[in-house]
Amino acid sequence: MQDGAEADREGEESILYACSDGLARITLNRPEKMNSLTAPMRAALAEALDRGAAEARAILLTGAGRGFCAGQDLGDASDFENLDLDRTLREEYEPLLTRITEAPVPVICAVNGVAAGAGANIALAADIVIAARSARFIEAFARIGLIPDAGGTYWLPRLVGKARAMGMCLLAEPVTAAQAAEWGLIWDVVEDDALEARAEALGRRLAEGPTLALRLAKQALLASAANDLETQLGLEARLQGEAGRSRDFMEGVTAFLEKRAPRFEGR
Ligand code: LHQ
């Protein structure tokens, strides 16, 4: 059994965090196990997401090595006597997923290799997902007698429709990055050796963006799943009212009229 300090160390080593020029880079770093998630790693990831939300204007999440994330560490989940998946999901996965969707800054996920199980669904929770051509998305749960979790049953039908969501979940076959982009599961696919540069460029661009407006846009888009048109139009009006009072809106219009690039401050 691990003591607290040991778990903290394991968490710190398995999640790398760096922040510069308003962009927080978070790397899942347990490449020898395809960055599968242990409990200390989940805690460290939550902490890194909080740090990014507090000090950066965009967050970039990726994985070290040849995989993005293979979901739950199945070694950790083999103590069947003491396993309480309901609790693990509510207390350890849900906070990660809501930290991503509710982050006040855009979250980009650069899927550098296979994304399986909860690893695939953590990626899909991000605002912009790009993947290396060799990456694969596997809703692997049925292979081990589980249902898709970590938000998969929420995002998949919304992103790709019922037929593809059912196929992905019931057959648990890999979906290629190219297929994922074609289906609208992700934003784009790029060549393997171009992923890092493309992700950095997107991250920097978003970090220089009108952060407040991006946050409100994200809020409106995410709310639409549960709203009727009238409610959504009301929400848009309220949030646009807020965006319209920002310095960045003034700067955006001024820059347009002066035919120059805007210098957004994020407020
Ligand atoms: C792993 C893992 C892994 C441990 C690769 N764990 N070691 C579940 C339960 C609890 C609560 C909440 O929710 C969940 C949600 C889930 O996420 S369930 C789904 C868990 N994930 C999977 O079922 C995927 C399991 N992994 C695979 O199917 C394959 O490893 C993939 C397709 C990801 C990669 O295949 P390969 O490229 O052939 O690599 P590999 O299988 O050789 O893996 C490399 C190493 O990583 C290997 O270790 P070893 O010591 O033998 O070299 C694997 O055992 C290890 N690894 N995934 N999830």
Side-chain angles (χ1 to χ4, degrees), residues 182-225:
E182 194 190 312
W183 289 359
L185 187 66
I186 63 171
W187 170 244
D188 207 359
V189 54
V190 298
E191 297 313 318
D192 288 16
D193 58 3
L195 182 75
E196 207 177 312
R198 179 75 191 285
E200 276 281 324
L202 276 176
R204 260 186 269 113
R205 177 169 146 198
L206 287 168
E208 288 169 6
T211 310
L212 173 75
L214 299 182
R215 168 168 72 74
L216 299 175
K218 180 172 159 171
Q219 188 183 331
L221 287 165
L222 292 174
S224 79

Side-chain angles (χ1 to χ4, degrees), residues 30-38 42 66-77 83-90 92-93 114-122 136 138-144 146-150 174:
R30 216 163 67 99
E32 69 288 358
K33 295 290 175 193
M34 305 298 271
N35 302 319
S36 55
L37 298 165
T38 61
R42 288 191 287 276
R66 68 184 180 89
F68 169 68
C69 176
Q72 167 74 31
D73 180 314
L74 293 175
D76 251 16
L83 212 52
D84 181 352
L85 297 192
D86 184 332
R87 187 208 62 78
T88 310
L89 285 168
R90 283 173 185 277
E92 298 184 31
Y93 280 86
V114 69
N121 295 336
I122 286 172
R136 301 281 180 275
I138 316 176
E139 294 295 328
F141 306 88
R143 294 182 182 176
I144 55 168
L146 288 181
I147 72 152
D149 61 21

Side-chain angles (χ1 to χ4, degrees), residues 43-104:
L45 178 55
E47 217 171 282
L49 288 165
D50 282 346
R51 241 180 114 179
E55 68 186 14
R57 284 172 63 190
I59 295 173
L60 170 58
L61 177 65
T62 193
R66 68 184 180 89
F68 169 68
C69 176
Q72 167 74 31
D73 180 314
L74 293 175
D76 251 16
S78 60
D79 180 8
F80 298 109
E81 298 274 293
N82 296 309
L83 212 52
D84 181 352
L85 297 192
D86 184 332
R87 187 208 62 78
T88 310
L89 285 168
R90 283 173 185 277
E91 292 180 12
E92 298 184 31
Y93 280 86
E94 204 179 299
L96 290 179
L97 298 156
T98 50
R99 272 174 170 85
I100 294 172
T101 49
E102 291 172 13

